Amino acid sequence: MSTLAGQRAGTAAPTVLTPRLRLVLVVLLAAQFMLAVDFSILNVALPVIGAGLGFPLARLQWIGTSFALCAAGFTLLSGRVADLFGRRRLFLGGLVVLGAASLAGGLAQSPEVLIAARVFQGLATAAVTPAGLSLLTTSFPEGPLREKALGLNGALMSAGFTTGAILGGLLTDLLSWRWSFFINVPVALAVLLVAPAVVAESRPETRPRLDVPGAVTVTLGLLAVVLGLTQAGEHGWGSPAALLPLAAGVLLLLVFRAVERRVPEPLVPLGVLGRRTVAWGNVAGLIAFVTETSLVFLLTLYLQEVLGFSPLAAGLSFGVLGIGTVVGGAIAPRVIGRTGATAALVAGGLVQAVFTAALLGLGTGRSSLWLLLAATFAGGVGNMLVIVGFMVTATSGVADGEQGLATGLATMTQQIGITMGTPVMSAVATAAMSGAGAAGVLAGLKTAIAVNAGLVLLGALAAGVFLRRRVR
């Protein structure tokens, strides 16, 4: 039985972190951190993987795309399946698939096997992430405990994306790219051994029927949208390879909305989507993930193409950003406790916008590294305030039986943001580059950084306007 269900039965909700709750937190956060690392751990290793397995250069991007497609496309369906059939069951099953797929990827001797492993890693991520997040929200009652848990979760997930870039470089240089896969196996096994004993099953008392038409249309729609976004980054926004799947995705999502209006037990009740906190919380979260993850991409180009850093040195430079996200995650629950989630979200967005704009002062000399480190640290703190504020906002006031749906929406927002940020900013930077030299590349990157800062500011202002009432 979940925590909220226990409250209804008369059991007092915990007000402090008991030893058991600490263990629950460690188990769930370990899994979420591992999944976040998987989004970026192979980025630095792609050329080495291509040379080792004989990947054609044009197909290398599918190592990331195949993972992102499944991770984002199946998340919403998985969140609802977790509500219907048991969150712990889906969480553990997904970890089994993740461990097996990671082992297969590390042992792969052909491009086909590696891509298949990435597909199953993406499917496992789509299952484990919303199930784990909904177990987190139903294990901790609304208020300070949940805010602390979500703060740590947000910090570790954001830090995991940065850590993946660093860890991928270290493992590739010191051991082999295969260890970027193998590293998941012991973590998954450890969580599988401990989780059944400490994490309680959580599901609604009455199991509704699965909305099959809704599940099919939303999953296909999301897959098409994510495919279009990734193709736009490779072929350009005006190419048929990008426009056709984007148009198909939008059409399928409109069909999904029409289906949800008519079925008696919809996959996504429109009443949930219509809640101001859910809708605008997810908008703010989408902007936060689009901007911060794409900023890592832009600064990677800056460090390597303008300053001439090696991939490993560039990855290590983002350690300061990782520290900033951890600091932001640690202070976010206190800020939310004192001012409310909306104020924290707006303040974090303003801080992130200011320090992203400060990066417009970057030059072609290595003395600019100090500005980059200071701005990414402070921007990371601000970004984490936004992310934790978004998680608290988007999952507050939602019934226990719909927590998988709410966390599925939040997870989908996160994964689509991570997926779409890089192609969007890549297209902006490429269009604005004035030449092939360092100065020309820097001009394009600065244009994209300015757009990035503007998006963050717009998100902060929108949250301030549409989430005026205090969300706790």
Side-chain angles (χ1 to χ4, degrees), residues 197-218:
V198 298
V199 180
E201 182 58 280
S202 171
R203 63 163 66 93
E205 295 177 7
T206 303
R207 180 188 297 176
R209 289 179 298 176
L210 181 62
D211 169 22
V212 176
V216 170
T217 51
V218 74

PDB file of all heavy atoms in Angstrom, residues 197-218:
ATOM      1  N   ALA A 197      12.950  -5.819  -0.819  1.00  0.00           N
ATOM      2  CA  ALA A 197      12.825  -5.889   0.638  1.00  0.00           C
ATOM      3  C   ALA A 197      12.443  -4.558   1.272  1.00  0.00           C
ATOM      4  O   ALA A 197      11.906  -4.530   2.385  1.00  0.00           O
ATOM      5  CB  ALA A 197      14.140  -6.381   1.248  1.00  0.00           C
ATOM      6  N   VAL A 198      12.692  -3.438   0.578  1.00  0.00           N
ATOM      7  CA  VAL A 198      12.483  -2.140   1.227  1.00  0.00           C
ATOM      8  C   VAL A 198      11.430  -1.271   0.538  1.00  0.00           C
ATOM      9  O   VAL A 198      10.857  -0.384   1.176  1.00  0.00           O
ATOM     10  CB  VAL A 198      13.813  -1.347   1.318  1.00  0.00           C
ATOM     11  CG1 VAL A 198      14.825  -2.102   2.156  1.00  0.00           C
ATOM     12  CG2 VAL A 198      14.373  -1.021  -0.059  1.00  0.00           C
ATOM     13  N   VAL A 199      11.169  -1.491  -0.743  1.00  0.00           N
ATOM     14  CA  VAL A 199      10.207  -0.664  -1.474  1.00  0.00           C
ATOM     15  C   VAL A 199       8.880  -1.403  -1.561  1.00  0.00           C
ATOM     16  O   VAL A 199       8.800  -2.504  -2.104  1.00  0.00           O
ATOM     17  CB  VAL A 199      10.712  -0.326  -2.893  1.00  0.00           C
ATOM     18  CG1 VAL A 199       9.689   0.528  -3.632  1.00  0.00           C
ATOM     19  CG2 VAL A 199      12.057   0.390  -2.833  1.00  0.00           C
ATOM     20  N   ALA A 200       7.829  -0.816  -0.994  1.00  0.00           N
ATOM     21  CA  ALA A 200       6.507  -1.447  -1.001  1.00  0.00           C
ATOM     22  C   ALA A 200       5.847  -1.288  -2.357  1.00  0.00           C
ATOM     23  O   ALA A 200       6.071  -0.302  -3.061  1.00  0.00           O
ATOM     24  CB  ALA A 200       5.627  -0.831   0.085  1.00  0.00           C
ATOM     25  N   GLU A 201       5.010  -2.259  -2.725  1.00  0.00           N
ATOM     26  CA  GLU A 201       4.237  -2.146  -3.949  1.00  0.00           C
ATOM     27  C   GLU A 201       3.241  -1.003  -3.814  1.00  0.00           C
ATOM     28  O   GLU A 201       2.770  -0.678  -2.722  1.00  0.00           O
ATOM     29  CB  GLU A 201       3.496  -3.454  -4.234  1.00  0.00           C
ATOM     30  CG  GLU A 201       2.694  -3.460  -5.534  1.00  0.00           C
ATOM     31  CD  GLU A 201       3.539  -3.172  -6.772  1.00  0.00           C
ATOM     32  OE1 GLU A 201       3.816  -1.973  -6.993  1.00  0.00           O
ATOM     33  OE2 GLU A 201       3.909  -4.109  -7.480  1.00  0.00           O
ATOM     34  N   SER A 202       2.939  -0.363  -4.926  1.00  0.00           N
ATOM     35  CA  SER A 202       2.033   0.780  -4.934  1.00  0.00           C
ATOM     36  C   SER A 202       1.170   0.699  -6.177  1.00  0.00           C
ATOM     37  O   SER A 202       1.688   0.670  -7.301  1.00  0.00           O
ATOM     38  CB  SER A 202       2.839   2.083  -4.931  1.00  0.00           C
ATOM     39  OG  SER A 202       2.008   3.196  -5.144  1.00  0.00           O
ATOM     40  N   ARG A 203      -0.142   0.625  -5.972  1.00  0.00           N
ATOM     41  CA  ARG A 203      -1.094   0.623  -7.094  1.00  0.00           C
ATOM     42  C   ARG A 203      -2.448   1.082  -6.570  1.00  0.00           C
ATOM     43  O   ARG A 203      -2.732   0.974  -5.371  1.00  0.00           O
ATOM     44  CB  ARG A 203      -1.227  -0.777  -7.714  1.00  0.00           C
ATOM     45  CG  ARG A 203      -1.775  -1.827  -6.772  1.00  0.00           C
ATOM     46  CD  ARG A 203      -2.255  -3.050  -7.548  1.00  0.00           C
ATOM     47  NE  ARG A 203      -1.189  -3.747  -8.207  1.00  0.00           N
ATOM     48  CZ  ARG A 203      -0.529  -4.771  -7.653  1.00  0.00           C
ATOM     49  NH1 ARG A 203      -0.805  -5.158  -6.431  1.00  0.00           N
ATOM     50  NH2 ARG A 203       0.406  -5.381  -8.329  1.00  0.00           N
ATOM     51  N   PRO A 204      -3.307   1.622  -7.432  1.00  0.00           N
ATOM     52  CA  PRO A 204      -4.648   2.024  -6.982  1.00  0.00           C
ATOM     53  C   PRO A 204      -5.469   0.818  -6.583  1.00  0.00           C
ATOM     54  O   PRO A 204      -5.241  -0.299  -7.061  1.00  0.00           O
ATOM     55  CB  PRO A 204      -5.238   2.733  -8.208  1.00  0.00           C
ATOM     56  CG  PRO A 204      -4.453   2.230  -9.368  1.00  0.00           C
ATOM     57  CD  PRO A 204      -3.091   1.928  -8.851  1.00  0.00           C
ATOM     58  N   GLU A 205      -6.435   1.040  -5.661  1.00  0.00           N
ATOM     59  CA  GLU A 205      -7.253  -0.063  -5.173  1.00  0.00           C
ATOM     60  C   GLU A 205      -8.132  -0.642  -6.274  1.00  0.00           C
ATOM     61  O   GLU A 205      -8.362  -1.846  -6.336  1.00  0.00           O
ATOM     62  CB  GLU A 205      -8.111   0.416  -3.999  1.00  0.00           C
ATOM     63  CG  GLU A 205      -7.284   0.812  -2.776  1.00  0.00           C
ATOM     64  CD  GLU A 205      -8.156   1.360  -1.656  1.00  0.00           C
ATOM     65  OE1 GLU A 205      -9.399   1.306  -1.798  1.00  0.00           O
ATOM     66  OE2 GLU A 205      -7.604   1.844  -0.654  1.00  0.00           O
ATOM     67  N   THR A 206      -8.637   0.206  -7.151  1.00  0.00           N
ATOM     68  CA  THR A 206      -9.474  -0.246  -8.262  1.00  0.00           C
ATOM     69  C   THR A 206      -8.704  -0.081  -9.561  1.00  0.00           C
ATOM     70  O   THR A 206      -8.251   1.016  -9.881  1.00  0.00           O
ATOM     71  CB  THR A 206     -10.780   0.572  -8.337  1.00  0.00           C
ATOM     72  OG1 THR A 206     -11.466   0.459  -7.090  1.00  0.00           O
ATOM     73  CG2 THR A 206     -11.665   0.043  -9.456  1.00  0.00           C
ATOM     74  N   ARG A 207      -8.552  -1.169 -10.300  1.00  0.00           N
ATOM     75  CA  ARG A 207      -7.768  -1.129 -11.527  1.00  0.00           C
ATOM     76  C   ARG A 207      -8.672  -0.817 -12.720  1.00  0.00           C
ATOM     77  O   ARG A 207      -9.534  -1.627 -13.084  1.00  0.00           O
ATOM     78  CB  ARG A 207      -7.075  -2.472 -11.755  1.00  0.00           C
ATOM     79  CG  ARG A 207      -6.238  -2.501 -13.033  1.00  0.00           C
ATOM     80  CD  ARG A 207      -5.729  -3.899 -13.339  1.00  0.00           C
ATOM     81  NE  ARG A 207      -4.834  -4.380 -12.312  1.00  0.00           N
ATOM     82  CZ  ARG A 207      -4.307  -5.607 -12.315  1.00  0.00           C
ATOM     83  NH1 ARG A 207      -4.634  -6.457 -13.284  1.00  0.00           N
ATOM     84  NH2 ARG A 207      -3.495  -5.980 -11.345  1.00  0.00           N
ATOM     85  N   PRO A 208      -8.482   0.344 -13.353  1.00  0.00           N
ATOM     86  CA  PRO A 208      -9.277   0.651 -14.548  1.00  0.00           C
ATOM     87  C   PRO A 208      -8.741  -0.115 -15.758  1.00  0.00           C
ATOM     88  O   PRO A 208      -7.664  -0.691 -15.724  1.00  0.00           O
ATOM     89  CB  PRO A 208      -9.073   2.159 -14.720  1.00  0.00           C
ATOM     90  CG  PRO A 208      -7.748   2.415 -14.100  1.00  0.00           C
ATOM     91  CD  PRO A 208      -7.599   1.438 -12.976  1.00  0.00           C
ATOM     92  N   ARG A 209      -9.516  -0.105 -16.836  1.00  0.00           N
ATOM     93  CA  ARG A 209      -9.062  -0.755 -18.066  1.00  0.00           C
ATOM     94  C   ARG A 209      -8.040   0.134 -18.779  1.00  0.00           C
ATOM     95  O   ARG A 209      -8.088   1.353 -18.686  1.00  0.00           O
ATOM     96  CB  ARG A 209     -10.248  -1.019 -18.990  1.00  0.00           C
ATOM     97  CG  ARG A 209     -11.183  -2.113 -18.492  1.00  0.00           C
ATOM     98  CD  ARG A 209     -12.340  -2.309 -19.452  1.00  0.00           C
ATOM     99  NE  ARG A 209     -13.159  -1.091 -19.553  1.00  0.00           N
ATOM    100  CZ  ARG A 209     -14.194  -0.964 -20.375  1.00  0.00           C
ATOM    101  NH1 ARG A 209     -14.521  -1.955 -21.188  1.00  0.00           N
ATOM    102  NH2 ARG A 209     -14.888   0.162 -20.398  1.00  0.00           N
ATOM    103  N   LEU A 210      -7.118  -0.520 -19.496  1.00  0.00           N
ATOM    104  CA  LEU A 210      -6.128   0.228 -20.257  1.00  0.00           C
ATOM    105  C   LEU A 210      -6.768   0.778 -21.528  1.00  0.00           C
ATOM    106  O   LEU A 210      -7.446   0.055 -22.257  1.00  0.00           O
ATOM    107  CB  LEU A 210      -4.943  -0.675 -20.616  1.00  0.00           C
ATOM    108  CG  LEU A 210      -3.804  -0.004 -21.406  1.00  0.00           C
ATOM    109  CD1 LEU A 210      -3.178   1.116 -20.585  1.00  0.00           C
ATOM    110  CD2 LEU A 210      -2.746  -1.029 -21.784  1.00  0.00           C
ATOM    111  N   ASP A 211      -6.559   2.063 -21.764  1.00  0.00           N
ATOM    112  CA  ASP A 211      -7.077   2.735 -22.952  1.00  0.00           C
ATOM    113  C   ASP A 211      -6.162   2.421 -24.134  1.00  0.00           C
ATOM    114  O   ASP A 211      -5.178   3.127 -24.385  1.00  0.00           O
ATOM    115  CB  ASP A 211      -7.142   4.238 -22.666  1.00  0.00           C
ATOM    116  CG  ASP A 211      -7.411   5.074 -23.897  1.00  0.00           C
ATOM    117  OD1 ASP A 211      -7.944   4.533 -24.883  1.00  0.00           O
ATOM    118  OD2 ASP A 211      -7.079   6.281 -23.868  1.00  0.00           O
ATOM    119  N   VAL A 212      -6.475   1.339 -24.867  1.00  0.00           N
ATOM    120  CA  VAL A 212      -5.604   0.886 -25.953  1.00  0.00           C
ATOM    121  C   VAL A 212      -5.522   1.896 -27.099  1.00  0.00           C
ATOM    122  O   VAL A 212      -4.418   2.230 -27.562  1.00  0.00           O
ATOM    123  CB  VAL A 212      -6.047  -0.501 -26.471  1.00  0.00           C
ATOM    124  CG1 VAL A 212      -5.198  -0.928 -27.666  1.00  0.00           C
ATOM    125  CG2 VAL A 212      -5.929  -1.537 -25.353  1.00  0.00           C
ATOM    126  N   PRO A 213      -6.661   2.450 -27.617  1.00  0.00           N
ATOM    127  CA  PRO A 213      -6.536   3.451 -28.691  1.00  0.00           C
ATOM    128  C   PRO A 213      -5.705   4.659 -28.265  1.00  0.00           C
ATOM    129  O   PRO A 213      -4.889   5.164 -29.044  1.00  0.00           O
ATOM    130  CB  PRO A 213      -7.985   3.848 -28.977  1.00  0.00           C
ATOM    131  CG  PRO A 213      -8.800   2.690 -28.502  1.00  0.00           C
ATOM    132  CD  PRO A 213      -8.078   2.154 -27.317  1.00  0.00           C
ATOM    133  N   GLY A 214      -5.904   5.112 -27.045  1.00  0.00           N
ATOM    134  CA  GLY A 214      -5.112   6.233 -26.552  1.00  0.00           C
ATOM    135  C   GLY A 214      -3.647   5.880 -26.440  1.00  0.00           C
ATOM    136  O   GLY A 214      -2.769   6.678 -26.795  1.00  0.00           O
ATOM    137  N   ALA A 215      -3.356   4.672 -25.945  1.00  0.00           N
ATOM    138  CA  ALA A 215      -1.964   4.242 -25.790  1.00  0.00           C
ATOM    139  C   ALA A 215      -1.258   4.170 -27.138  1.00  0.00           C
ATOM    140  O   ALA A 215      -0.110   4.615 -27.283  1.00  0.00           O
ATOM    141  CB  ALA A 215      -1.922   2.877 -25.099  1.00  0.00           C
ATOM    142  N   VAL A 216      -1.950   3.622 -28.146  1.00  0.00           N
ATOM    143  CA  VAL A 216      -1.341   3.482 -29.469  1.00  0.00           C
ATOM    144  C   VAL A 216      -1.090   4.849 -30.099  1.00  0.00           C
ATOM    145  O   VAL A 216       0.009   5.131 -30.609  1.00  0.00           O
ATOM    146  CB  VAL A 216      -2.233   2.615 -30.387  1.00  0.00           C
ATOM    147  CG1 VAL A 216      -1.725   2.663 -31.823  1.00  0.00           C
ATOM    148  CG2 VAL A 216      -2.268   1.178 -29.891  1.00  0.00           C
ATOM    149  N   THR A 217      -2.076   5.740 -30.061  1.00  0.00           N
ATOM    150  CA  THR A 217      -1.922   7.038 -30.742  1.00  0.00           C
ATOM    151  C   THR A 217      -0.895   7.923 -30.051  1.00  0.00           C
ATOM    152  O   THR A 217      -0.090   8.585 -30.720  1.00  0.00           O
ATOM    153  CB  THR A 217      -3.268   7.774 -30.836  1.00  0.00           C
ATOM    154  OG1 THR A 217      -3.879   7.826 -29.529  1.00  0.00           O
ATOM    155  CG2 THR A 217      -4.214   7.066 -31.799  1.00  0.00           C
ATOM    156  N   VAL A 218      -0.876   7.945 -28.712  1.00  0.00           N
ATOM    157  CA  VAL A 218       0.082   8.823 -28.038  1.00  0.00           C
ATOM    158  C   VAL A 218       1.501   8.291 -28.179  1.00  0.00           C
ATOM    159  O   VAL A 218       2.453   9.062 -28.357  1.00  0.00           O
ATOM    160  CB  VAL A 218      -0.290   9.027 -26.550  1.00  0.00           C
ATOM    161  CG1 VAL A 218       0.020   7.793 -25.705  1.00  0.00           C
ATOM    162  CG2 VAL A 218       0.460  10.241 -25.982  1.00  0.00           C
TER     163      VAL A 218
END
